[in-house]
Amino acid sequence: MAIIAGVDFGTLNVRVSIVDSVRGLLASAIAEYPLHRRREDPEYATQSHADHMNALAHAARAAVQKAGVPGGQIEAIALDTTGSSVVPVDKNLQPLDDYYLWCDHRAKSEAAEITAVAHRARLPAIEWCGGVYSSEWGFAKLLHWLRHNPAKREACASAFEHCDMVAATLCGITDPRAVKRSICAMGHKWLWNASLGGLPPEDFLVKVDPLLTGVREKLAGTYATSDQIAGNLSPHWAEKLGLRAGIPIPVGAFDAHWDAIGAGCRCEDVVNVIGTSTCIIGITPSANLVPGVCGVVAGSVHPKQTGIEAGLSAVGDIFNAIATRAGTDVQTLSQGLDSYRAGQTGLLRMTWDNGDRTVLVNPNLRGITLGWNLQTTAQDELFAALEGTAFHTRVILDRMSEHGVIIRRVINAGGIPQKNEILNQVYANILGRPVLVPSSSVTSLGSAIFAFLAAGTFSTVEEAQDKICPSHKIFQPDPATQSIYNQLHSLYRQLYFAFGQPNNSPLGKILPALIHLSESVNKGSMV
């Protein structure tokens, strides 16, 4: 028997779970931290490293107390975080600024430049991230920071993903060169590929912008999968967390990837981790490059398999925004949705309110709702948005299947599916296949599994999953409803590619033009 701590850093809070290898989850505790937004700049989203660490300390102590076990009995701690959430640091591993959070899209132009130069240079790594570099990813965010913080450039010794920064901090590491970097984070967001020599070459980065001179060396170090140890808990942080100094901390990863492991994802499964956004995580035995799918990385989800990542840039955030505009909340607005039928609203909702992560990888998009009439309600829009996220998910899964990715099972995980049976049934009907939903929350269970591996309790991910993961509830598609949704999906695909591709359709220029006009007016510049 062993007891460990699994940590999950989400967009708004951190959850610490105390898990027993025999008895399962003993207790969890949550601590919140602020998300910094600016109304005048909807692309802006940052968070403080100090806020994260303080919240972790509060949540860890509370979880240990609720579990009723001495902190000294915890044998390992593992953590996952959002990503790509990037922080520049000085030579002593101290943050020079706040994190550019995963949903910060200020680096749109930087991402476009990286994509353009990569294709001109025929950089092989660009094909491994779907052919388009995203504003949500590391190099784009670091370049944006370098361009907008000239006074701090000289002090910048490196930059880190949130998962690597937290692990290093807990281990008491103060030299950026000594920090182990997550293959999950660097492979999916920084163009790192072991088979291609690691990071992109220096001459490529300098072609993007001379400000990236020397950055490749600053990002050097040990790149590792999460079955490797990042270090051991320092006495300082052991005291703050109420745990025992010296316990192992494995190399971290992204929250969605470990949520997929906690949801029971096995080889040839796909997990929709549905929360504020959706991350679509798959495990495959071999590498299949998929245009528009943002990451195919060996060892990223499962240390011994190849991970695939795709997703939607906003899901729960869209539901919340619709409810807020209606002067209510999602739970209240959802009452009565179980009586809705496919096609009833007459609406098609493109869920691009925060851009398109996959398969268009286009941040210059915004939400579209077609089919309004004078009697259309906010609840109608909510149901259409729920359908829209499922249609978008089907576009992604179809793209993966078209390029040789075998999808054996579809699992809905994350914060929303356990609370919303209507969503799961709609997904089953639109995807045209059974949808499995864990019977209880899996948040931080992936962290727990890797903590158990670090403690030596289990020898494989699968062995730990058999002991720790909950069973699944299965939602079967309804054939009659599925027929209607097939017709709607055909219309959805037409809209998706017409409005979403500015180079292929005149309609594709409308949303970018609206965004440009709004940004120009809000900045007070000439239009």
Side-chain angles (χ1 to χ4, degrees):
M1 184 182 78
I3 303 174
I4 57 79
V7 179
D8 174 85
F9 280 92
T11 303
L12 299 175
N13 59 56
V14 59
R15 176 191 295 267
V16 178
S17 296
I18 307 301
V19 185
D20 186 295
S21 60
V22 175
R23 294 176 289 168
L25 178 65
L26 301 181
S28 293
I30 293 174
E32 297 181 348
Y33 33 71
L35 167 60
H36 307 299
R37 290 276 197 181
R38 292 178 177 173
R39 180 172 175 80
E40 69 275 14
D41 185 358
E43 314 293 0
Y44 184 97
T46 68
Q47 285 179 332
S48 159
H49 178 65
D51 287 343
H52 285 155
M53 299 309 295
N54 289 334
L56 173 60
H58 286 298
R61 286 189 168 275
V64 169
Q65 183 178 19
K66 288 173 66 176
V69 299
Q73 289 187 9
I74 307 298
E75 296 187 25
I77 181 171
L79 60 102
D80 62 49
T81 68
T82 64
S84 189
S85 293
V86 179
V87 62
V89 300
D90 66 15
K91 64 181 181 179
N92 298 314
L93 203 66
Q94 294 301 303
L96 292 171
D97 215 325
D98 283 351
Y99 285 93
Y100 276 56
L101 200 63
W102 67 270
C103 51
D104 187 302
H105 292 163
R106 284 176 290 166
K108 290 189 294 186
S109 62
E110 286 77 10
E113 292 170 47
I114 292 170
T115 299
V117 175
H119 284 292
R120 287 199 301 269
R122 298 188 177 181
L123 184 76
I126 195 67
E127 303 305 329
W128 288 83
C129 65
V132 182
Y133 200 76
S134 170
S135 62
E136 294 185 0
W137 299 349
F139 275 119
K141 290 180 176 179
L142 177 58
L143 179 55
H144 184 276
W145 184 86
L146 290 169
R147 287 175 171 175
H148 291 82
N149 292 275
K152 298 179 181 179
R153 283 182 204 147
E154 188 174 347
C156 182
S158 190
F160 286 95
E161 285 286 344
H162 188 194
C163 59
D164 297 330
M165 184 67 177
V166 174
T169 302
L170 292 177
C171 294
I173 297 172
T174 57
D175 182 353
R177 295 168 297 182
V179 179
K180 289 186 178 178
R181 295 182 186 268
S182 165
I183 281 178
C184 175
M186 302 305 289
H188 283 287
K189 310 300 184 184
W190 292 80
L191 297 171
W192 183 89
N193 187 307
S195 67
L196 301 176
L199 292 170
E202 175 82 0
D203 60 351
F204 164 76
L205 296 173
V206 174
K207 285 178 184 176
V208 174
D209 193 308
L211 287 176
L212 293 176
T213 300
V215 163
R216 190 180 195 276
E217 177 61 28
K218 291 178 179 180
L219 297 175
T222 301
Y223 285 62
T225 52
S226 293
D227 55 349
Q228 305 297 310
I229 302 301
N232 300 89
L233 187 63
S234 70
H236 172 78
W237 280 100
E239 182 179 359
K240 282 185 170 292
L241 272 59
L243 304 179
R244 172 167 51 89
I247 61 175
I249 303 173
V251 174
F254 289 151
D255 50 0
H257 298 70
W258 279 9
D259 278 352
I261 293 293
C265 185
R266 299 291 181 96
C267 192
E268 297 183 345
D269 289 349
V270 164
V271 179
N272 302 316
V273 184
I274 305 171
T276 54
S277 66
T278 288
C279 279
I280 298 174
I281 305 296
I283 300 176
T284 181
S286 59
N288 293 303
L289 299 184
V290 183
V293 170
C294 65
V296 179
V297 180
S300 67
V301 181
H302 188 295
K304 308 301 182 186
Q305 306 281 357
T306 296
I308 303 176
E309 178 189 350
L312 284 66
S313 291
V315 177
D317 278 348
I318 294 176
F319 304 158
N320 286 330
I322 293 170
T324 298
R325 288 194 292 270
T328 184
D329 56 67
V330 174
Q331 183 177 2
T332 302
L333 194 59
S334 296
Q335 294 174 8
L337 285 184
D338 55 349
S339 66
Y340 274 63
R341 303 183 309 279
Q344 170 184 325
T345 66
L347 302 177
L348 269 182
R349 179 67 153 80
M350 311 303 296
T351 49
W352 286 331
D353 300 44
N354 203 25
D356 183 287
R357 180 182 299 164
T358 313
V359 296
L360 302 175
V361 198
N362 185 354
N364 290 310
L365 297 173
R366 291 295 181 265
I368 303 174
T369 305
L370 276 74
W372 295 100
N373 63 46
L374 295 177
Q375 281 73 46
T376 300
T377 67
Q379 190 173 61
D380 294 338
E381 186 191 3
L382 178 62
F383 190 74
L386 191 153
E387 292 175 317
T389 66
F391 285 132
H392 192 166
T393 299
R394 179 170 167 179
V395 169
I396 295 168
L397 299 189
D398 286 350
R399 176 66 63 91
M400 292 167 64
S401 297
E402 289 162 3
H403 288 82
V405 177
I406 296 173
I407 300 174
R408 184 170 58 91
R409 298 189 304 175
V410 174
I411 302 172
N412 275 2
I416 293 180
Q418 273 92 18
K419 306 171 187 174
N420 194 323
E421 294 198 352
I422 300 167
L423 177 142
N424 298 318
Q425 188 60 57
V426 167
Y427 272 57
N429 292 333
I430 288 177
L431 299 180
R433 63 172 77 214
V435 169
L436 284 65
V437 180
S439 56
S440 60
S441 174
V442 300
T443 302
S444 72
L445 278 190
S447 296
I449 286 171
F450 283 96
F452 280 124
L453 293 181
T457 310
F458 302 113
S459 57
T460 67
V461 170
E462 290 78 11
E463 182 186 359
Q465 285 177 315
D466 287 341
K467 292 288 186 181
I468 302 301
C469 295
S471 60
H472 295 108
K473 180 176 181 179
I474 301 176
F475 292 80
Q476 297 285 353
D478 174 66
T481 303
Q482 187 181 341
S483 175
I484 297 171
Y485 275 138
N486 284 340
Q487 298 176 57
L488 288 173
H489 184 67
S490 176
L491 300 175
Y492 184 93
R493 283 183 60 89
Q494 293 179 53
L495 290 171
Y496 182 88
F497 290 105
F499 278 93
Q501 296 181 311
N503 295 328
N504 295 345
S505 166
L507 294 176
K509 301 183 186 302
I510 293 175
L511 292 175
L514 286 173
I515 292 171
H516 175 70
L517 179 64
S518 174
E519 289 177 345
S520 298
V521 171
N522 286 328
K523 291 177 181 177
S525 60
M526 296 296 292
V527 178

